């Protein structure tokens, strides 16, 4: 009887392990889908400008129309997950994301397309922090979580890096609406898996803070618009938008300080490691998203590459990104988060310098090589995510993930706006070189913030610990 019970128990544990693994893959694919739509549009920008008209600023809004609401709504989405359950909010996000993808595929002009991208970004904001919070619940032990985040990072960053290649193939085989239609079957498959296997967490009593979301969205959108308009040399509009963004940001800060239910609780902002992890996340996306936009536009407009050839040019980066993200998780589990973060951001800075040199020399091969080296930045992604989560109380898992990735996505939105504006203003040689130089500087800042963010983890040893 005892052996029979032991066999049943072993079978049950094995079944639970397989279910947890499948759930981890589904939650990782959630982020991969979010990342895919952040980058798949890059190789379509030249085709969209041909079909719909418009200049570089319209192309930038095709990217930032997604990134701005994604960044601005993520904190509220994290709070919604804490209050109503992360699985429920994640599935709501999948529904909105799928509908918005269909609207983008059917768009016949920039206003409809950008509006659909905004709705996609809002759906992604609901999906992402909820999926990360569910992973935190599935893997509560720090070392185990570091390995899980390595898998999560590897799968997710493949979505980021393979977006341009997949987009190039779809545009060549079909047309640009296909890059949005592809989302529907993927969302149905992944969302269905989470609906069946996703962990049911216990909702917490937490008030929602819509005023902060409105002001935060207005601030980020206005600052982004101001930077883009400056790149087009429409200075009066740029100054007005930047001024509005600064005022909205000031009002947001005052509202947060006075609110009894701020979007970011004092329990999070009181951690020095957590604050520095936000800086690190900002710089990570700033450099990655900004560099990818500049390279994608330059290879097609200045070097005459087709959408498919442009996607193939990013393939080395896609391979490097996937390997680096998975490796970074295992390195962090074995040595702690500092080493993969320092290595990743050092490579990112070096890669940006090589890419800038390729622009000066007029060498597309050097540009592609440098972009692949930038992809080694993803060695840092699982580790820096783990630092942010370990520095926050467990009860704020959704908000911690939302806050950290809000910083990341703000970095991506500003990176696309600023580096795109520099490219637009300075041209394919000078502008490109300066833009990649800025990306290298952002990587240097990330190195400094890494030292501060990981100071406690270094003392605690591999795996870190929660604050």
């Amino acid at each position: 009887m005892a052996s029979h019970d032991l066999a049943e128990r072993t079978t049950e544990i094995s079944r639970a392990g397989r279910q947890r693994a499948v759930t981890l893959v589904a939650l990782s694919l959630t982020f991969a889908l979010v990342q895919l739509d952040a980058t798949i549009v890059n190789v379509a920008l030249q085709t969209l400008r041909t079909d719909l008209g418009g200049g570089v600023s319209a192309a930038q809004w095709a990217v930032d129309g997604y990134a701005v609401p994604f960044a601005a709504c993520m904190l509220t989405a994290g709070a919604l997950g804490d209050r109503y359950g992360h699985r429920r909010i994640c599935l709501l996000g999948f529904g909105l994301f799928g509908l918005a993808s269909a609207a983008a595929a059917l768009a016949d002009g920039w206003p409809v397309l950008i509006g659909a991208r905004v709705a996609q970004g809002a759906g992604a904001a609901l999906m992402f922090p909820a999926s990360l919070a569910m992973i935190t619940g599935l893997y509560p032990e720090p070392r185990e979580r570091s390995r899980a985040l390595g898998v999560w990072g590897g799968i997710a960053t493949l979505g980021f890096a393979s977006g341009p290649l997949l987009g190039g193939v779809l545009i060549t085989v079909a047309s640009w609406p296909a890059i949005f239609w592809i989302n529907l079957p993927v969302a149905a498959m992944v969302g269905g898996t989470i609906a069946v296997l996703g962990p049911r967490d216990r909702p917490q009593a937490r008030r929602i803070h819509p005023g902060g979301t409105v002001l935060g969205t207005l601030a980020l959108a206005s600052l982004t618009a101001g930077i883009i308009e400056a790149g087009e040399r429409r200075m009066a509009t740029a100054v007005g938008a930047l001024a509005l963004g600064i005022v909205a940001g000031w009002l947001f800060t005052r509202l947060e300080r006075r609110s009894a239910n701020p979007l970011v609780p004092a329990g999070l902002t009181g951690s020095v490691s957590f604050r520095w992890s936000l800086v690190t996340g900002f710089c990570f996306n700033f450099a990655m998203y900004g560099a990818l936009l500049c390279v994608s536009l330059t290879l097609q407009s200045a070097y005459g590459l087709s959408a498919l050839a442009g996607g193939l040019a990013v393939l080395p980066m896609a391979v490097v990104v996937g390997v680096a993200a998975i490796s970074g998780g295992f390195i962090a589990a074995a040595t702690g988060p500092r080493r993969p973060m320092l290595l990743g951001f050092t490579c990112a800075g070096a890669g940006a310098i090589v890419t800038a040199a390729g622009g000066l020399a007029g060498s597309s091969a050097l540009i592609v090589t440098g972009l692949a080296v930038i992809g080694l930045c993803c060695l840092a992604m699982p580790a820096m995510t783990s630092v942010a989560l370990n520095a926050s109380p467990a009860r704020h898992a959704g908000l911690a993930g939302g806050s950290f990735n809000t910083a990341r996505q703000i970095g991506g939105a500003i990176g696309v706006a600023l580096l795109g504006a520099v490219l637009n203003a300075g041209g394919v040689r000078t502008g490109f070189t300066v833009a990649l130089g800025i990306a290298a500087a952002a990587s240097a800042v990330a190195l400094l913030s890494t030292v501060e963010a990981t100071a406690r983890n270094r003392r605690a040893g591999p795996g870190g610990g929660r604050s």
Side-chain angles (χ1 to χ4, degrees), residues 69-106:
F70 182 27
C73 295
M74 210 178 306
L75 287 177
T76 296
L80 286 170
D82 287 340
R83 178 168 181 175
Y84 296 108
H86 297 293
R87 175 178 161 275
R88 184 179 300 172
I89 294 301
C90 187
L91 295 177
L92 177 64
F94 269 106
L96 177 58
F97 187 87
L99 290 174
S101 297
L106 296 170

Side-chain angles (χ1 to χ4, degrees), residues 141-416:
E141 196 274 320
R143 288 177 185 269
E144 194 176 41
R145 186 188 302 137
S146 291
R147 288 188 288 268
L149 287 173
V151 175
W152 167 81
I155 294 174
T157 49
L158 279 176
F160 170 87
S162 64
L165 176 59
L166 179 59
V169 171
L170 291 173
I171 291 168
T172 302
V173 173
S175 58
W176 65 260
I179 67 176
F180 299 112
W181 286 124
I182 192 68
N183 291 335
L184 272 66
V186 177
M189 178 187 69
V190 177
T193 302
I194 293 173
V196 175
L197 299 179
R200 275 78 165 170
D201 51 340
R202 180 177 297 177
Q204 303 175 26
R206 177 165 175 81
R207 294 184 62 183
I208 307 304
H209 193 3
T213 301
V214 171
L215 286 172
T217 303
L218 179 61
L220 181 55
S222 298
L223 291 173
T224 302
I227 295 169
I228 291 174
E229 289 297 292
E232 292 285 349
R233 295 185 174 87
R234 293 191 282 260
M235 299 311 298
T237 306
V239 171
L242 289 171
L244 177 60
I246 291 169
V247 171
W250 177 76
L251 290 173
F252 171 81
T253 302
R254 291 197 36 107
L255 182 64
E256 281 286 287
R257 286 177 177 174
R258 294 182 176 185
S259 175
N261 298 280
L263 281 173
V264 184
L268 286 180
T269 56
S271 167
V272 174
S273 291
F274 187 78
R275 291 200 300 270
W276 280 109
S277 74
L278 299 183
V279 176
T280 304
F282 177 96
C283 293
F284 179 93
N285 271 36
F286 181 98
M288 289 276 286
Y289 279 67
L292 185 59
L293 175 87
C294 290
V295 169
S296 297
L297 283 173
T298 300
L299 287 179
Q300 292 189 55
S301 63
Y303 293 86
L305 270 64
S306 66
L308 179 57
L312 287 170
V314 183
L315 182 59
M317 182 193 194
V319 175
V320 168
V321 158
V323 173
I326 294 175
S327 301
F330 285 93
I331 294 172
T335 69
R338 174 174 285 199
R339 187 171 297 175
M341 291 173 71
L342 291 177
L343 180 59
F345 288 119
T346 299
C347 291
I353 292 171
V354 171
T355 308
L360 277 177
S363 169
S364 59
L366 202 55
I367 290 173
V368 171
T369 300
L371 188 64
V373 177
I374 291 175
L376 287 170
C377 182
C378 287
L379 284 166
M381 195 183 77
M384 69 183 187
T385 304
S386 180
V387 168
L389 292 177
N390 289 341
S392 63
R395 67 182 182 279
H396 291 315
L399 280 172
S403 299
F404 173 69
N405 287 287
T406 293
R408 281 189 56 187
Q409 298 309 318
I410 290 174
I414 298 298
V416 165

Side-chain angles (χ1 to χ4, degrees), residues 50-62:
T50 300
D51 289 357
L52 305 179
V56 173
S57 61
Q60 285 173 277
W61 275 117

Side-chain angles (χ1 to χ4, degrees), residues 98-120:
L99 290 174
S101 297
L106 296 170
D108 58 358
W110 284 111
V112 176
L113 178 62
I114 293 171
R117 291 286 285 167
V118 169
Q120 275 189 311

